[in-house]
Amino acid sequence: MAFLLKFVQHPGRVLTKLSPAFLQPWFSIKNDLVTMKKLLPVATFLFLLFTGCHQPASKQMTAAKRDTSITATNAYSDLFLDSSAVDRFIATKGINDSAANHLRIFYAGRNYQYAWFFGDGIADYAATFLDLQNDYMAYSGDSSLYNFRLQLLYDSVAASKEHFNRTDSIIPEMELLFTEQFFRYARRAYQGINQLNVKELDWFIPRKKINPAAMLDSLIKYKGKDVTQYEPVNRQYNLLKNFLLKYYSIEKSGEWETIPHLKKAFRRGDSSAIIVPIKKNLLLTGDLSQADSSALFDNLLEQAVKNFQHRFGLTEDGVIGPSFLKELTVSPAARIRQLLINMERIRWVPAEPGTAYLLVNIPEFRLHVYEKGRYLFGMNVVVGQTAHQTVIFNGTLKYVVFSPYWNIPQSIIKNEILPALSRNKNYLETHNMERYGNGIRQKPGPDNALGLVKFLFPNNYNIYLHDTPAKSLFGESKRAFSHGCIRLSEAKKLAEFLLRNDADWNAATITRAMKSGRERYVTLRNPVPVFIGYFTAWVDWEGQLNFRNDIYGHDKQLAGHLFNIADQ
């Protein structure tokens, strides 16, 4: 009863929270007419709910500039709407202000010519759009977009295409339904679920904004061809979608083996019955190149294990041990949820800068350097501990600081420095520190906690990139050790990249500045965007799907919104 009450009150919200496994039967409608017939009564119920749950439109109308240069002689379509039909549609449907404004502006800009119909029938790209929408619903598990009325009318018109009646009263209704539905689809599929407050999810990178009308104009202009060329989506999105479909296939096949956790490790040359299901699962994931039903741990399996370890950020030793088995025993259903969570995040990502930029992926413990869309290099990083989480945000890197002082945060002074001073009055001198005003700072030098160089992108979180004398930590597979700032394994390499176009700097002068013992600020001539992101699934530049652990619990938090998973 509780579920039904929530469903009646908020049908779209409840359905988007259901698991992909629960929702999957809904989305065979594209290829399975039998399933469509079975779902018709339920779909009718959903339609009545959805059409009754729109926010009422405001009485305040937004003026839209009408393009009167478009006439019957030069229009794309020879069918035109009465402008009052748009307002009647908005009022009847109870469309909210924002969506209503988009509709008015779109049609006024076309002088109310039809977008989806011509004099001889419905445009071919209407089917393209419905395919896009059905594909999205199928792989995302999001049924809230389904519009029974539109599908019913489309099927009716498509079935009687040879007897198309341009004066039929359902034609203007279909026209406006298609446009409203396209705008709903574009926002959801390419911008993400608007009901999610990303700041509450600890995501402080501004969400991407899209222009649904511009995308619809492109669909019309290119007649539904080459949609991927103008989809407003990060390239990672479609790469992940392809692997999502693969995992759906693995789950549906029922071939995934359940493997027990064992304390014993297996190496090349060992034989065990457990090797057989391990090989089977590695074949399904694509790590093992050919089927093998033997119980022998051979060379081919060792390479498959190393590849799997590489994709999961594990030590690449080719040994089947606890960490390897922990990842391999995660079910396809859980990986599907992980992929959907990260695809939702990727919908929020703003457009890729056309210049150079830096991306730190917290769960991966890596920094990546890009220039004009091309991947240049990456390096290991150390990020904040769970108790001192590195914030997800973006900024602009403006300064390189050589031989920096470390101005120690008050929290560290209170919790660490002062207790150490109470035990050892020479603590500051021993650690090359000094009192500075009301605070304490560490002087420049090889033992400085910030190393020999730091990189500043002013922000409210007091987070920056910096070198470190503690190089051994970069050899760890899990590198969450800092107080929130990001330590770099190759700080000099980043400095050389950032100053590559400055004639005053080269490898030698950078080295001297790093070792000078005198703090020096250098302002970048071309500031560089920096993104501190959080992705536990992505496709790397070799085309391989990577997974990482949810070190801060952000996946779990987002899953609670997407799939209605209660906190454990």
Side-chain angles (χ1 to χ4, degrees):
M1 286 298 295
F3 169 81
L4 289 177
L5 178 62
K6 289 181 181 178
F7 182 77
V8 171
Q9 292 172 334
H10 304 289
R13 190 183 310 169
V14 171
L15 284 174
T16 56
K17 291 180 178 180
L18 295 177
S19 69
F22 179 90
L23 291 168
Q24 194 63 21
W26 286 81
F27 307 114
S28 58
I29 57 175
K30 178 184 173 186
N31 299 314
D32 189 345
L33 294 178
V34 175
T35 303
M36 179 64 186
K37 291 177 181 177
K38 289 179 180 178
L39 294 177
L40 201 54
V42 183
T44 305
F45 174 58
L46 291 177
F47 168 69
L48 293 172
L49 284 174
F50 290 169
T51 54
C53 290
H54 283 286
Q55 294 292 325
S58 168
K59 293 181 180 180
Q60 183 178 0
M61 307 293 277
T62 298
K65 186 176 180 180
R66 186 167 183 167
D67 187 352
T68 56
S69 67
I70 299 173
T71 65
T73 58
N74 62 15
Y76 185 79
S77 170
D78 58 351
L79 295 179
F80 284 78
L81 285 163
D82 186 320
S83 60
S84 62
V86 177
D87 290 329
R88 285 196 303 271
F89 178 81
I90 289 169
T92 302
K93 293 272 290 177
I95 298 172
N96 65 43
D97 290 344
S98 176
N101 289 341
H102 279 295
L103 278 171
R104 292 192 188 99
I105 292 169
F106 176 75
Y107 280 103
R110 301 173 58 80
N111 201 14
Y112 294 91
Q113 66 174 311
Y114 276 62
W116 300 92
F117 284 91
F118 302 100
D120 59 351
I122 193 164
D124 290 340
Y125 49 78
T128 301
F129 161 56
L130 291 177
D131 284 344
L132 284 172
Q133 176 184 263
N134 290 338
D135 284 343
Y136 166 77
M137 290 192 297
Y139 69 72
S140 70
D142 179 3
S143 66
S144 67
L145 278 177
Y146 186 71
N147 189 322
F148 175 71
R149 174 67 176 171
L150 177 60
Q151 189 69 51
L152 189 68
L153 292 177
Y154 174 78
D155 290 343
S156 173
V157 169
S160 58
K161 189 173 183 179
E162 295 178 0
H163 307 286
F164 177 71
N165 180 3
R166 59 191 292 165
T167 63
D168 195 319
S169 61
I170 69 169
I171 302 306
E173 180 189 5
M174 274 188 71
E175 166 69 25
L176 292 168
L177 277 173
F178 258 108
T179 301
E180 182 207 12
Q181 187 68 13
F182 183 90
F183 288 173
R184 289 183 63 213
Y185 158 79
R187 292 190 194 94
R188 178 59 60 85
Y190 303 118
Q191 190 169 294
I193 299 173
N194 286 330
Q195 293 90 333
L196 290 175
N197 184 333
V198 297
K199 291 185 178 179
E200 290 180 358
L201 297 169
D202 299 310
W203 182 280
F204 297 99
I205 300 174
R207 284 184 66 160
K208 173 184 66 182
K209 296 186 182 300
I210 66 167
N211 185 341
M215 189 179 175
L216 179 51
D217 283 336
S218 295
L219 185 80
I220 295 169
K221 178 180 178 180
Y222 297 106
K223 301 180 180 179
K225 302 289 194 284
D226 300 322
V227 176
T228 55
Q229 299 301 312
Y230 50 87
E231 281 184 305
V233 66
N234 186 284
R235 64 181 295 274
Q236 273 288 322
Y237 185 84
N238 286 322
L239 294 173
L240 280 181
K241 182 177 76 173
N242 292 335
F243 280 102
L244 175 68
L245 298 177
K246 177 179 178 177
Y247 268 86
Y248 275 132
S249 177
I250 292 173
E251 183 185 42
K252 186 177 180 180
S253 72
E255 295 179 3
W256 188 260
E257 295 282 356
T258 301
I259 302 171
H261 288 279
L262 299 177
K263 293 183 179 180
K264 180 182 178 181
F266 296 91
R267 294 173 172 79
R268 179 164 48 91
D270 291 341
S271 290
S272 172
I274 199 174
I275 299 298
V276 178
I278 287 174
K279 286 181 176 180
K280 189 173 181 180
N281 284 2
L282 289 175
L283 182 67
L284 290 171
T285 60
D287 295 287
L288 187 63
S289 58
Q290 62 186 49
D292 181 4
S293 59
S294 75
L296 175 65
F297 194 146
D298 57 10
N299 291 338
L300 200 61
L301 177 58
E302 184 180 54
Q303 291 304 312
V305 171
K306 287 182 178 180
N307 194 70
F308 183 91
Q309 290 170 330
H310 175 75
R311 296 194 302 109
F312 284 76
L314 306 173
T315 302
E316 298 173 38
D317 56 10
V319 175
I320 295 176
S323 60
F324 171 88
L325 287 174
K326 181 181 177 181
E327 298 296 346
L328 188 63
T329 53
V330 174
S331 69
R335 292 302 181 198
I336 286 169
R337 288 194 293 271
Q338 191 172 359
L339 287 165
L340 289 170
I341 286 167
N342 284 275
M343 289 172 69
E344 174 64 23
R345 285 197 187 105
I346 289 172
R347 292 187 188 102
W348 308 341
V349 173
E352 184 177 22
T355 59
Y357 69 96
L358 310 181
L359 168 65
V360 175
N361 186 16
I362 295 170
E364 185 189 6
F365 311 109
R366 292 277 290 179
L367 175 143
H368 302 279
V369 179
Y370 299 81
E371 187 167 31
K372 297 180 180 179
R374 185 168 61 95
Y375 182 67
L376 298 184
F377 63 90
M379 65 182 68
N380 289 343
V381 302
V382 169
V383 300
Q385 308 164 33
T386 302
H388 304 283
Q389 296 182 9
T390 299
V391 182
I392 302 165
F393 74 107
N394 67 305
T396 303
L397 200 159
K398 298 179 178 180
Y399 310 104
V400 178
V401 185
F402 294 113
S403 294
Y405 282 95
W406 178 34
N407 296 304
I408 303 172
Q410 287 298 321
S411 60
I412 297 177
I413 293 174
K414 178 182 178 180
N415 297 325
E416 300 178 28
I417 306 297
L418 293 181
L421 269 172
S422 67
R423 296 189 298 269
N424 177 8
K425 64 179 182 180
N426 296 319
Y427 182 86
L428 295 185
E429 182 180 354
T430 303
H431 291 82
N432 201 30
M433 296 177 181
E434 64 183 9
R435 294 187 182 276
Y436 181 71
N438 295 324
I440 296 174
R441 67 182 183 180
Q442 189 176 33
K443 301 174 186 178
D447 296 325
N448 186 288
L450 304 185
L452 303 176
V453 60
K454 67 179 180 180
F455 307 89
L456 301 182
F457 40 106
N459 59 80
N460 295 327
Y461 312 108
N462 197 28
I463 288 177
Y464 45 88
L465 309 173
H466 65 86
D467 185 25
T468 176
K471 304 296 186 183
S472 62
L473 295 178
F474 295 112
E476 301 290 333
S477 58
K478 312 298 181 186
R479 297 184 292 276
F481 300 110
S482 80
H483 285 83
C485 286
I486 299 161
R487 306 175 192 172
L488 306 174
S489 61
E490 301 177 76
K492 181 186 175 185
K493 185 173 183 178
L494 181 59
E496 290 175 352
F497 170 76
L498 294 172
L499 297 171
R500 67 199 182 285
N501 296 323
D502 190 329
D504 294 333
W505 293 97
N506 55 41
T509 55
I510 287 173
T511 298
R512 284 197 295 271
M514 289 173 66
K515 296 181 178 181
S516 69
R518 296 187 303 275
E519 186 175 72
R520 179 176 179 180
Y521 274 69
V522 178
T523 302
L524 294 183
R525 295 178 179 177
N526 297 301
V528 175
V530 179
F531 298 90
I532 314 297
Y534 193 95
F535 300 99
T536 61
W538 72 93
V539 179
D540 63 28
W541 284 89
E542 296 176 340
Q544 295 207 90
L545 176 62
N546 284 245
F547 288 108
R548 294 295 188 274
N549 292 330
D550 181 22
I551 61 170
Y552 293 161
H554 293 326
D555 277 14
K556 183 179 180 181
Q557 188 181 12
L558 181 51
H561 292 273
L562 293 180
F563 313 123
N564 202 24
I565 296 174
D567 291 338
Q568 299 296 319

